[in-house]
Amino acid sequence: MATMDKAPRASRSAWARRAKRTRHKHPGWGAIALATLLSGTTVHAEYPEKPVRAIVPFAAGAGADIASRFMAEKLSAMWGKGVVVENQVGANSIIGAQQVARAPADGYTLLVPNDTTLAANPWLYARLPYAPLKDFAPIALIGETPFVLVASPRLPARSVKELVELARARPGAINFGSSGLASAQHLPMEMLMHSAHIKLTHVPYKSASDAAVGVVSDQIQVMFAGVSAVLPFLQSGRLVPLAVSTAGRLAVLPQVPTIAESGYPGFRYGAWLGFVAPAGTPAAIVNKINADVNSVLRRPETRQRLTELGFLPAAPATPDAFRTFISDETERYGTLIRAAGIEQTR
């Protein structure tokens, strides 16, 4: 991660000694030197001085989009500058991520990636046009989008057990949707199929929102969806909740059992979301955004509202902690993807 200071840290003390020896010869030089030395710590004090772009590599209306826009609204109010959310959809979030990786490292273009963008894609694409921990500066974890296994009301299944029985009776006949290969909707279904020894047919859509509409219209029968994205469909009865993917039941869907409760102990899945910037973004800017995101996440009203939206807010943490988290998640996803037998795209 780049530093703001022009002089290397190791040489500053020597630099200061030379300044002390020469200031008596040049009365005005000391003031100039002091201003120069301090400029590195003050140049970003007023960030942001203009609107900030937040690139969300998912479709509008997706769970990640809903949480991203909520956070953008709170940061806009805090900063007095607009945080403009732009949806750059395509190629399993690669298009948006690549755009930010190539953006100026000045803190005015941010990416709101999920686990697929940073942890799964490295295992899926041999020629991924970005390296998650090389091309981005991790800033802050926002939280997790819990998933719910939903079914079309026309499917004669009202529980995971009934879905498994149908799938075993008709291998491959039941279709499930996602936003693409090894996407946040695809992986948990692969996990369930592996655990239950069943076979469903994968139907990838352009976006998770399109896939959800596919289930509502009975074009496909089931999918794992972000709770926040499908909550209106669940409330209206246009989708049937079979189970949630979290370790415990959700406050927003208290009547819906977990998959672990439904006969598959240890099953847990959720798509996390965070802020990153282009690599080389000054540490002062990264730390300021981190502090402000954490400030928003500490507010009880924020946590309550995110929970109501079907989102699980993260505990505040440092950029370094987020970097370690991404690294650990990358290894975990490698294990999941290999176990599911998903081949890398070349």
Side-chain angles (χ1 to χ4, degrees):
M1 188 178 299
T3 178
M4 298 176 298
D5 306 298
K6 295 182 179 180
R9 294 181 182 274
S11 65
R12 280 190 209 149
S13 58
W15 187 90
R17 288 195 296 273
R18 287 197 299 272
K20 183 177 181 180
R21 288 197 300 269
T22 55
R23 67 185 177 188
H24 70 279
K25 299 179 181 179
H26 305 280
W29 192 88
I32 296 172
L34 181 61
T36 301
L37 185 62
L38 293 177
S39 65
T41 61
T42 60
V43 68
H44 301 298
E46 300 304 319
Y47 173 89
E49 298 179 320
K50 60 182 181 180
V52 176
R53 298 169 65 213
I55 304 300
V56 176
F58 316 104
D65 177 71
I66 293 171
S68 300
R69 290 180 183 277
F70 178 87
M71 293 300 295
E73 177 186 340
K74 296 303 179 183
L75 291 174
S76 293
M78 177 181 288
W79 292 341
K81 304 291 181 182
V83 179
V84 182
V85 174
E86 297 181 14
N87 298 93
Q88 300 288 346
V89 185
N92 214 19
S93 76
I94 292 174
I95 291 176
Q98 185 177 16
Q99 179 179 342
V100 176
R102 295 175 177 178
D106 57 7
Y108 289 97
T109 303
L110 306 177
L111 178 69
V112 191
N114 72 354
D115 47 341
T116 297
T117 313
L118 299 183
N121 278 350
W123 299 99
L124 302 174
Y125 301 93
R127 298 180 181 179
L128 190 66
Y130 61 85
L133 292 179
K134 179 181 178 183
D135 294 334
F136 298 109
I139 298 176
L141 182 65
I142 299 172
E144 177 183 313
T145 299
F147 278 67
V148 56
L149 177 59
V150 297
S152 164
R154 298 182 185 179
L155 185 73
R158 295 296 180 269
S159 67
V160 173
K161 179 181 178 181
E162 291 177 355
L163 173 64
V164 169
E165 290 173 350
L166 285 175
R168 287 176 177 168
R170 302 159 54 197
I174 298 175
N175 298 324
F176 75 93
S178 81
S179 62
L181 181 68
S183 62
Q185 302 80 35
H186 182 198
L187 286 176
M189 190 64 81
E190 289 287 353
M191 292 168 60
L192 180 59
M193 288 193 294
H194 180 76
S195 299
H197 305 290
I198 57 175
K199 175 63 177 176
L200 281 67
T201 298
H202 183 206
V203 181
Y205 281 74
K206 182 179 179 180
S207 71
S209 300
D210 291 339
V213 172
V215 183
V216 170
S217 62
D218 202 42
Q219 296 174 0
I220 54 177
Q221 288 72 56
V222 293
M223 75 174 289
F224 274 95
V227 172
S228 55
V230 297
L231 198 54
F233 291 136
L234 295 173
Q235 293 169 337
S236 66
R238 299 174 71 188
L239 287 177
V240 176
L242 304 184
V244 294
S245 65
T246 45
R249 296 197 182 195
L250 298 174
V252 72
L253 295 172
Q255 77 284 6
V256 181
T258 66
I259 292 178
E261 287 180 279
S262 303
Y264 302 94
F267 190 104
R268 181 183 182 278
Y269 183 87
W272 48 263
L273 195 69
F275 281 108
V276 301
T281 298
I285 290 179
V286 169
N287 290 332
K288 175 172 174 51
I289 300 172
N290 171 270
D292 291 344
V293 169
N294 287 341
S295 176
V296 171
L297 290 175
R298 287 189 181 97
R299 299 173 186 170
E301 64 271 21
T302 293
R303 303 185 75 82
Q304 179 179 346
R305 181 56 181 156
L306 286 172
T307 300
E308 290 171 351
L309 291 172
F311 190 79
L312 303 178
T318 65
D320 284 343
F322 189 26
R323 175 179 288 274
T324 299
F325 176 80
I326 294 169
S327 178
D328 292 344
E329 284 291 279
T330 300
E331 291 303 313
R332 186 173 75 89
Y333 272 84
T335 301
L336 288 176
I337 289 168
R338 286 192 297 267
I342 300 173
E343 296 184 359
Q344 192 175 61
T345 299
R346 300 189 180 278

